[in-house]
Amino acid sequence: MADPASPDVFARARLRLALLFVAIVVVLVVVSSVFMYLTVRADIRAAATRSYGGGETEQEFVTRSLGTLRWQLVAVDAAIVVFIGIGGLLYARSTLRPIRESVAAQKRFVADASHDLRTPLAIMKAEFEVALRRPDLDEDARPVLLSGLEEVDRMSAMVEDLLTLSRIDARQERLAREPLDLVALARQTVAELGNLAATGGVLLRTDATGEAPAAGDEGHVRRALRNVVRNAVEHSPSGATVEIAVRRTPRGAEVVVADHGEGMSPDVVAHVFDRFYRGDAARSQERGGSGLGLAIARWALRGMGGDLTVESRVGAGTRTTLTLPAA
C-alpha cells in the first residue's frame, strides 16, 4: 500500500495521467494517418491503372471508393474511441489507487484515533469534576481546574465531530425521522447557551410563539441549532443581540438565527460548509473550533429533507436559516 504520508502522490498521479493523455493523442494520430495513407495509396494506384471492377466507370469507381473510405474511417474511429475509453478507465483506476488508499488510511486513522481518545477524555473530565467537588479545594486551584475542564469539553466535542464524520464517510450514520417541536428545541438551545452569551455580554432574544412542528432527527437538529447559535454568539461583540426566530412554513418549519456581528466576506461564505474550513484560523483556534460543525449540520439537515443556508455581509452580521420538512 502506498505510504499515506508521501507528499508527491498527487504529483505522480498528475504526471501519469498527463502522459496517458499524450500517448492517446499520439496513438490516435498515428493510426488514423497510417490508415488514411494506405487506403488512399491503394485507390490512387487503382485509378492510375484504371483497374475498375465490373466494368464500372471512373465516376462510379470514385464514388464507391469514397463511400468505402468513409465507412472504414467510421469503423476505425469507433474502435479507437472504445479502446481509448476502456484503456483510459483502467489506467486511471490504476493511477488513482495510491490516492484512494492514502485517503482511506487517513480516514481509518482519524476514526481510530478519535475512538481511542474518548476514554481518556472521559476519565479526565470525571477527575476534574471530582476535584472541583472537594470541600478542601484551594480556591487558587479552582480556576485552573475549571479551565482544564473547559478544554476537555472542547476536545470531547471535536472528537465527537470526527467520529460523526467517520460514520458519514462510511455511510454508517443513520438519520431518524420523528416528529419535532422546533419551538421547544430552540428554547432549550437558548437556555443551554445562556451562560456563554452572558459571559460575552450578548443578549439572546427568542421569537418562538405558537407551534412549529417538523420531522427529523432530534439529536442532529439539536446539535445543528447549538452550533449555529454558538457561532452567532461568539462572533457578536459585547452588547449585541442574537435573534432566534422560529416559524412555520408551507413546507414545514424553519429557524432563523441572526446576529449583528462582524459578518463574513463572500469568499468565506462560499467555503463556510467545507470540512475543516475556518475563515479566521487564529480566532477559531482560540475558540476551539474544528471546522466541522456546519458541514455536519448541513449534511444532516439535507438528509432529513431540509437545508442549512447562510447569508452574510462584512460589518452587518450573519443570517443562518435551518429548514425542516413538515411532520
Side-chain angles (χ1 to χ4, degrees), residues 152-319:
V152 169
D153 287 337
R154 288 184 179 181
M155 284 294 298
S156 298
M158 293 176 64
V159 167
E160 282 301 319
D161 285 344
L162 290 172
L163 284 171
T164 301
L165 184 64
S166 299
R167 291 194 297 269
I168 291 173
D169 289 337
R171 299 184 179 181
Q172 296 176 349
E173 184 73 0
R174 299 291 180 258
L175 295 173
R177 184 177 177 84
E178 54 190 351
L180 301 175
D181 183 359
L182 283 185
V183 172
L185 288 177
R187 288 175 176 168
Q188 292 170 13
T189 302
V190 170
E192 292 172 1
L193 297 176
N195 290 335
L196 176 66
T199 301
V202 177
L203 175 64
L204 293 178
R205 179 180 298 166
T206 307
D207 180 10
T209 57
E211 295 182 350
D217 187 294
E218 181 175 346
H220 273 286
V221 173
R222 187 187 301 275
R223 186 175 181 175
L225 278 172
R226 187 185 301 117
N227 188 279
V228 170
V229 176
R230 178 185 291 274
N231 284 344
V233 170
E234 292 180 343
H235 289 82
S236 296
S238 178
T241 300
V242 173
E243 300 158 355
I244 301 98
V246 186
R247 51 178 173 257
R248 302 182 69 166
T249 65
R251 296 185 177 182
E254 67 178 16
V255 181
V256 179
V257 180
D259 66 65
H260 305 281
E262 62 221 33
M264 296 179 288
S265 66
D267 291 339
V268 175
V269 173
H271 298 282
V272 76
F273 295 111
D274 293 350
R275 293 180 177 185
F276 301 106
Y277 180 79
R278 295 185 291 187
D280 189 336
R283 297 188 66 176
S284 296
Q285 184 69 26
E286 179 184 349
R287 293 163 178 161
S290 64
L292 289 174
L294 290 179
I296 294 174
R298 189 183 213 187
W299 171 87
L301 289 169
R302 287 187 169 181
M304 301 173 207
D307 202 359
L308 178 64
T309 59
V310 171
E311 303 172 26
S312 186
R313 286 191 306 160
V314 175
T318 302
R319 175 188 175 94

Side-chain angles (χ1 to χ4, degrees), residues 100-176:
R100 184 171 59 250
E101 292 176 348
S102 175
V103 173
Q106 291 175 357
K107 289 180 178 179
R108 286 195 300 270
F109 170 77
V110 170
D112 294 343
S114 301
H115 186 271
D116 292 342
L117 283 171
R118 296 181 78 177
T119 299
L121 285 172
I123 294 173
M124 291 174 62
K125 181 180 176 67
E127 290 178 346
F128 276 124
E129 291 175 342
V130 170
L132 286 168
R133 293 194 187 100
R134 291 182 56 179
D136 58 343
L137 177 65
D138 188 348
E139 288 302 318
D140 292 337
R142 184 175 295 276
V144 177
L145 293 175
L146 288 173
S147 177
L149 182 60
E150 182 180 351
E151 292 303 319
V152 169
D153 287 337
R154 288 184 179 181
M155 284 294 298
S156 298
M158 293 176 64
V159 167
E160 282 301 319
D161 285 344
L162 290 172
L163 284 171
T164 301
L165 184 64
S166 299
R167 291 194 297 269
I168 291 173
D169 289 337
R171 299 184 179 181
Q172 296 176 349
E173 184 73 0
R174 299 291 180 258
L175 295 173

